[in-house]
Amino acid sequence: MEQLRYRGRFAPSPTGPLHFGSLVTAVASWLEARAAGGDWLVRIEDLDPLREPPEAIGQILHSLNCHGLFPDEPVRFQSKRHDAYQATVEQLLSQGYAYRCRCSRKQLQQHGGYHPAHCRTTQPAHIDAPCAIRFALSDEASYWQDLLLGPQHQQVCAERDDPVILRKEGFYAYQLAVVVDDIDQGITHVVRGSDLLDMTAQQQQMFRALQALPPQWLHIPVILNSEGQKLSKQTRAPALNDTQPAANLVRALGALGQTPPASLHTATVDDVLAWGRHHWQRQAIPLTSQQAHGINPNTHLPPDH
Ligand code: GLU
């Protein structure tokens, strides 16, 4: 069988500016794509305007530019893709892979995740109140291979785990949009944080329902702050300092288990990225967040600010 050309992507949700943890993911996905001689794309997952400060997209794209991470194709914005998501929701509904759900989060909690209104099996002829649409999962023991973490086993439970694909407020959900766009953009390899590992078996079922080949996944450890929390907007991760991009990149390489020499601290962004490309070792990426935190004594970390 002919080998598909490698196509990877970095797909941030613009809930705030880029922080160190998201830079590590961007760098890992860029290096994997470059090591394979493939394409690297950027996709802004702007699905939820209520959680996205308007300035965040510009800040993220500016930061990526400052760090020399230029995508090989124009940036894609999920906010411009509603027609494709709607068409997919309708397709899934008509094929019995999706259903309208009126249960509140509280009701689902009270019933251990099962639907008191039996939405999956009993679709009312007419629904007048806004409702969510969920993907109908199948019960499955899913076995798959992560390119870093090795063999994975996930148990998927029909009904109880069924993810929302269109929220009742009218927003398309991450689980739907990520699969639709990975298919549409011909993504062959996904590098992302291991906080999304649990989503993978569900996403595989969606690829199957849409009769598409799933990509291969590589989940890197999430970067923790000094209190052991994932760097994120919620944990008030500081924005990257775009005036010291080479130093940020050296730190990111260190967090990925690579051993950049001290001389790179005074190098240019292009030099650091070139070093990363030539010395990239996937097998050196730490497997856990604890290992990724403060590893690599050869890398003297510059202060964050
Ligand atoms: N948009 C997601 C995030 O920022 C990443 C999606 C993915 O890589 O699958 O967490």
Side-chain angles (χ1 to χ4, degrees):
M1 207 173 72
E2 204 191 321
Q3 191 97 43
L4 287 177
R5 179 179 167 79
Y6 185 113
R7 282 171 68 81
R9 59 22 171 218
F10 172 58
S13 304
T15 51
L18 223 56
H19 53 71
F20 181 65
S22 30
L23 179 69
V24 171
T25 306
V27 168
S29 65
W30 186 88
L31 286 168
E32 277 284 306
R34 290 292 172 258
D39 299 324
W40 183 73
L41 313 185
V42 171
R43 184 169 75 221
I44 299 290
E45 302 208 320
D46 50 348
L47 291 170
D48 183 351
L50 304 179
R51 292 182 56 225
E52 296 159 3
E55 65 282 8
I57 293 179
Q59 291 170 330
I60 290 173
L61 296 177
H62 177 73
S63 258
L64 289 173
N65 286 352
C66 290
H67 289 82
L69 300 169
F70 300 103
D72 296 314
E73 291 177 12
V75 174
R76 173 172 288 204
F77 297 89
Q78 290 192 323
S79 55
K80 304 259 163 24
R81 297 269 303 148
H82 289 183
D83 289 353
Y85 306 145
Q86 186 58 36
T88 308
V89 167
E90 281 162 24
Q91 178 189 335
L92 293 171
L93 277 171
S94 71
Q95 295 174 337
Y97 281 118
Y99 61 94
R100 296 184 175 78
C101 169
R102 289 163 298 158
C103 302
S104 66
R105 195 173 298 177
K106 192 164 164 212
Q107 285 173 318
L108 290 173
Q109 259 166 15
Q110 284 167 347
H111 292 81
Y114 292 93
H115 296 225
H118 304 292
C119 321
R120 237 183 107 119
T121 42
T122 327
Q123 284 285 289
H126 181 71
I127 300 185
D128 40 16
C131 66
I133 297 183
R134 289 181 183 270
F135 181 78
L137 292 167
S138 309
D139 283 317
E140 184 191 18
S142 171
Y143 293 89
W144 57 280
Q145 194 76 18
D146 185 276
L147 289 175
L148 177 68
L149 304 173
Q152 299 295 307
H153 169 225
Q154 284 166 351
Q155 195 65 38
V156 179
C157 181
E159 183 168 339
R160 200 194 60 192
D161 296 341
D162 289 351
V164 169
I165 55 174
L166 176 55
R167 288 163 53 190
K168 95 167 175 298
E169 298 81 7
F171 300 139
Y172 297 97
Y174 158 71
Q175 281 289 58
L176 173 80
V178 73
V179 171
V180 171
D181 280 328
D182 280 345
I183 294 172
D184 185 67
Q185 295 188 288
I187 299 299
T188 59
H189 291 76
V190 169
V191 176
R192 62 184 181 189
S194 55
D195 50 327
L196 294 168
L197 189 62
D198 289 350
M199 304 276 184
T200 311
Q202 296 183 10
Q203 288 174 8
Q204 284 168 356
Q205 289 202 14
M206 296 180 63
F207 277 95
R208 285 207 292 273
L210 297 169
Q211 297 186 316
L213 216 57
Q216 288 190 273
W217 283 275
L218 187 162
H219 288 88
I220 61 168
V222 296
I223 303 298
L224 306 178
N225 64 19
S226 52
E227 269 110 72
Q229 305 159 313
K230 179 190 171 221
L231 291 189
S232 69
K233 193 181 172 202
Q234 287 73 27
T235 59
R236 304 221 186 103
L240 278 176
N241 180 348
D242 287 336
T243 65
Q244 49 169 48
N248 294 336
L249 289 169
V250 170
R251 273 183 80 207
L253 288 169
L256 289 165
Q258 316 298 303
T259 48
S263 59
L264 274 187
H265 285 299
T266 50
T268 64
V269 161
D270 286 346
D271 287 342
V272 180
L273 290 175
W275 185 93
R277 267 172 96 146
H278 288 125
H279 298 87
W280 178 236
Q281 288 192 41
R282 178 197 289 167
Q283 66 279 12
I285 306 174
L287 299 181
T288 67
S289 296
Q290 283 68 28
Q291 290 168 357
H293 189 62
I295 53 160
N296 193 358
N298 298 329
T299 309
H300 302 289
L301 304 183
D304 226 344
H305 281 295

